[in-house]
Amino acid sequence: MKINNLLSHLGIQNTNYGSCFGKDCWISTNNQHISSINPTTGETIATVEQTSNTSYKQVIGEAEKSFLKWREKPAPLRGQLIRDVGNLVRENIEPLGELIALEMGKIKREGIGEVQEVVDICEFAVGLSRQLYGLTMHSERPGHRMYEQWHPIGPTGIITAFNFPAAPWAWNAIISAVCGNTVIWKPSEVTPLTAIALQNITNEIMSDHKEKAIFNLITGTGSDIGSTLVNDKRIPLISFTGSVKTGRIVSTQVAKRLGKSILELGGNNAIIVTKDADLKLTSEAILFGSIGTTGQRCTTTRRIIAHKSIINELIETILDKYKNIKIGDPLCNTTTMGPMISQDSINKMLQAIETAKNNNGLVIYGGQQLLDLGPLFVEPVIIKMNDQIPLLYEETFAPILYIMEYNDFDEAISLQNSVPQGLSSAIFTSNLYDAETFLSTRGSDCGIANVNVGTTGAEIGGAFGGEKETGGGRESGSDAWKGYMRRQTVTINWTKKLPLSQGIDFSQKEID
Ligand code: UN1
């Protein structure tokens, strides 16, 4: 689609308001605008008015009001609204995928894949709307019944990152909404247009269902409006996706007011390749894992830990694949890798390459800036690391692949677990013992552990998140919904007696 047609199809103007609580409820207070810039060309796509203190107050006020009504709606009826959101997103999957490619530079096929995650989570949430189950326990007291039930928690704040401008919103917002909460979304200031397009979709559906302010939008920088949201006592839960550095600040600020947070922070993901791995399969997974989304996924494969007997053959197989990467316009169907998001990211990548080279690292492929293609294009880089240097403990959000070798399997696991982050991990092997050891308690310490499947591309059905500095949060499928609700333990006495628990006798008689 032509860019102008695409934008108007998704309800985006040249200049937009960034604060909204429903159809025809976009608010302007003449605040400053931020620009959404196409990383492929450096050109401004459109501008968006940032949320001011005044518009913030209005959005939160509406979200609080709407919560009181929405929480009363039976969950299966809430599911019907979510089903309609999913259907409208599905109808727009292609333009939304294109918009993501345009605004943040991942290739269109991956953009569409990301929107598919939104559709998938909507479908999951519709089923979930009839399965927000609590347990029943046996009481120790006669004639008593005990059970637990789950209630909505309140308006929830969702802060998302540029690299996945749609899916993490959905993992959080859709689940939170089906749980009976209203949602206030602050997207990355770099990708406000995808957020506006999704807000337009939820506006349409909220209006069809005679609702508003279930899905709400605020826009601006993290240090400004993001921080206001994080510190707002009226928001019992903040879900934050972003760097470890910012996550630490967010989690401290939320904890200070005894709020709850769900954190999805950095990764530093490795694939262990054993001597009997299928190298064709392995190199396919490595390619998608390392250059998909231009190496800017939190699940990106950044480290390969290969057995010394196959490392050279593995490198050859990977190089064959890297030589065929087509770098260019992410909207072009044949492109496999688009631009990076910013000059700052490129600087960090180039700096990491320098540090690696200065520390006995050998660049075996790429790493050059490709200014002919545009300001933000780079070649992905493969670096053979001979020493375990501090650089390898950091997440550099770029298409950098470090390869290192191991001798025995325990060493491989210990290298895999040596980093402070704990998001995703994988092993490629046909050895059952190695696969099971990797999955055992002395194996991978990550939230995600895959066998003969790469580190990226998690399905929505599982709980998504990681341990250690990744923050411990879980989002998306499985029972991650519990993070968006408050648990209530209920005991009912249906007798005429009042026995106390633990057998305590509290009668007013003398006790020897
Ligand atoms: C992210 O990079 O923040 O597993 C999320 C994956 C995607 C999600 C990545 N489903 O790679």
Side-chain angles (χ1 to χ4, degrees):
M1 235 189 254
K2 285 230 168 64
I3 291 183
N4 281 346
N5 294 349
L6 174 70
L7 298 183
S8 75
H9 177 83
L10 295 169
I12 296 165
Q13 333 289 325
N14 288 335
T15 53
N16 302 272
Y17 301 147
S19 317
C20 183
F21 57 89
K23 193 170 184 183
D24 303 323
C25 300
W26 293 91
I27 317 163
S28 163
T29 52
N30 289 322
N31 201 17
Q32 280 175 338
H33 279 239
I34 43 173
S35 301
S36 169
I37 294 167
N38 177 352
T40 304
T41 59
E43 285 161 10
T44 297
I45 309 167
T47 72
V48 179
E49 186 190 306
Q50 298 189 60
T51 300
S52 65
N53 285 339
T54 317
S55 42
Y56 177 82
K57 270 195 199 118
Q58 201 177 341
V59 171
I60 301 293
E62 292 291 337
E64 277 192 296
K65 220 164 49 193
S66 164
F67 171 65
L68 300 181
K69 191 173 147 220
W70 181 240
R71 70 178 176 182
E72 299 276 359
K73 194 175 254 252
L77 301 189
R78 298 198 291 255
Q80 291 180 8
L81 184 144
I82 300 299
R83 180 196 58 209
D84 293 348
V85 171
N87 287 342
L88 195 52
V89 173
R90 186 191 284 105
E91 274 174 37
N92 288 284
I93 196 161
E94 179 116 8
L96 283 167
E98 270 185 45
L99 178 63
I100 292 174
L102 181 72
E103 194 174 32
M104 66 67 63
K106 70 173 66 171
I107 60 167
K108 189 172 140 191
R109 280 173 282 163
E110 283 189 84
I112 291 173
E114 174 166 1
V115 186
Q116 183 63 48
E117 283 198 51
V118 179
V119 175
D120 293 344
I121 200 77
C122 287
E123 288 182 350
F124 179 90
V126 177
L128 184 63
S129 72
R130 292 182 185 269
Q131 298 176 78
L132 299 169
Y133 300 138
L135 296 172
T136 303
M137 298 89 181
H138 284 263
S139 170
E140 64 193 44
R141 288 168 279 186
H144 283 56
R145 184 159 75 83
M146 262 176 89
Y147 71 97
E148 61 186 20
Q149 56 180 350
W150 295 86
H151 288 306
I153 197 169
T156 49
I158 297 173
I159 302 175
T160 55
F162 80 88
N163 62 332
F164 270 77
W169 162 76
W171 305 337
N172 287 281
I174 296 296
I175 297 294
S176 189
V178 92
C179 288
N181 303 319
T182 53
V183 173
I184 301 105
W185 182 20
K186 198 216 75 76
S188 159
E189 63 267 28
V190 181
T191 54
L193 302 184
T194 306
I196 289 175
L198 287 167
Q199 181 69 33
N200 280 333
I201 285 178
T202 56
N203 283 350
E204 217 44 57
I205 302 301
M206 286 192 287
S207 155
D208 288 354
H209 286 253
K210 307 209 168 7
E211 298 281 357
K212 63 176 181 179
I214 299 161
F215 297 101
N216 305 277
L217 183 67
I218 56 174
T219 322
T221 60
S223 53
D224 187 0
I225 208 68
S227 160
T228 309
L229 182 69
V230 163
N231 286 295
D232 193 333
K233 283 199 180 108
R234 294 168 295 180
I235 313 297
L237 171 69
I238 297 285
S239 172
F240 173 81
T241 308
S243 68
V244 171
K245 192 168 155 235
T246 313
R248 224 185 274 280
I249 300 170
V250 168
S251 112
T252 312
Q253 290 179 343
V254 175
K256 212 178 249 171
R257 61 178 177 86
L258 297 179
K260 293 216 279 179
S261 54
I262 297 175
L263 302 172
E264 206 265 275
L265 313 178
N268 190 349
N269 318 295
I271 295 183
I272 296 175
V273 188
T274 68
K275 53 177 175 260
D276 40 33
D278 176 336
L279 296 189
K280 188 174 165 292
L281 206 72
T282 311
S283 57
E284 271 169 37
I286 291 174
L287 180 75
F288 180 58
S290 59
I291 68 142
T293 318
T294 318
Q296 301 168 114
R297 288 191 188 215
C298 52
T299 52
T300 289
T301 308
R302 193 148 293 108
R303 299 177 299 137
I304 301 296
I305 303 164
H307 190 266
K308 68 169 188 214
S309 65
I310 48 93
I311 191 164
N312 289 336
E313 195 187 340
L314 177 68
I315 288 175
E316 288 310 314
T317 341
I318 300 173
L319 281 175
D320 278 350
K321 295 241 174 308
Y322 264 61
K323 282 176 192 147
N324 289 319
I325 296 171
K326 298 216 167 34
I327 302 169
D329 181 356
L331 286 167
C332 170
N333 280 337
T334 52
T335 303
T336 39
M337 192 178 109
M340 301 271 291
I341 193 66
S342 66
Q343 187 56 45
D344 184 48
S345 302
I346 294 185
N347 294 345
K348 288 192 174 122
M349 173 175 175
L350 298 176
Q351 225 165 38
I353 297 173
E354 270 321 292
T355 309
K357 284 206 280 202
N358 294 336
N359 286 278
N360 205 11
L362 182 69
V363 172
I364 48 183
Y365 182 87
Q368 299 300 318
Q369 226 181 319
L370 300 170
L371 289 168
D372 289 357
L373 293 178
L376 300 179
F377 286 91
V378 286
E379 281 175 321
V381 66
I382 304 178
I383 311 178
K384 170 107 190 289
M385 296 304 298
N386 298 302
D387 299 318
Q388 190 66 13
I389 62 167
L391 176 70
L392 297 174
Y393 300 109
E394 289 166 22
E395 179 190 43
T396 308
F397 224 44
I400 301 181
L401 184 66
Y402 300 113
I403 302 197
M404 52 205 104
E405 72 176 40
Y406 75 89
N407 290 307
D408 72 80
F409 193 60
D410 285 346
E411 184 195 351
I413 299 229
S414 126
L415 279 173
Q416 134 77 39
N417 290 345
S418 65
V419 298
Q421 308 83 355
L423 180 55
S424 187
S425 60
I427 186 169
F428 276 74
T429 187
S430 49
N431 180 314
L432 184 64
Y433 175 81
D434 287 348
E436 289 292 341
T437 307
F438 174 76
L439 297 176
S440 76
T441 177
R442 66 184 164 96
S444 162
D445 63 3
C446 292
I448 298 170
N450 296 334
V451 177
N452 295 330
V453 171
T455 59
T456 57
E459 300 177 21
I460 61 96
F464 183 87
E467 302 303 324
K468 303 195 289 186
E469 286 192 358
T470 303
R474 291 297 186 276
E475 298 170 356
S476 194
S478 183
D479 66 350
W481 60 270
K482 290 180 177 167
Y484 304 82
M485 301 197 86
R486 61 186 171 86
R487 184 196 308 241
Q488 189 165 61
T489 304
V490 180
T491 311
I492 301 167
N493 174 7
W494 49 274
T495 70
K496 294 266 181 237
K497 292 195 177 125
L498 193 72
L500 298 179
S501 56
Q502 292 87 49
I504 290 173
D505 180 355
F506 205 62
S507 57
Q508 307 267 39
K509 64 176 184 203
E510 284 202 14
I511 303 164
D512 316 318

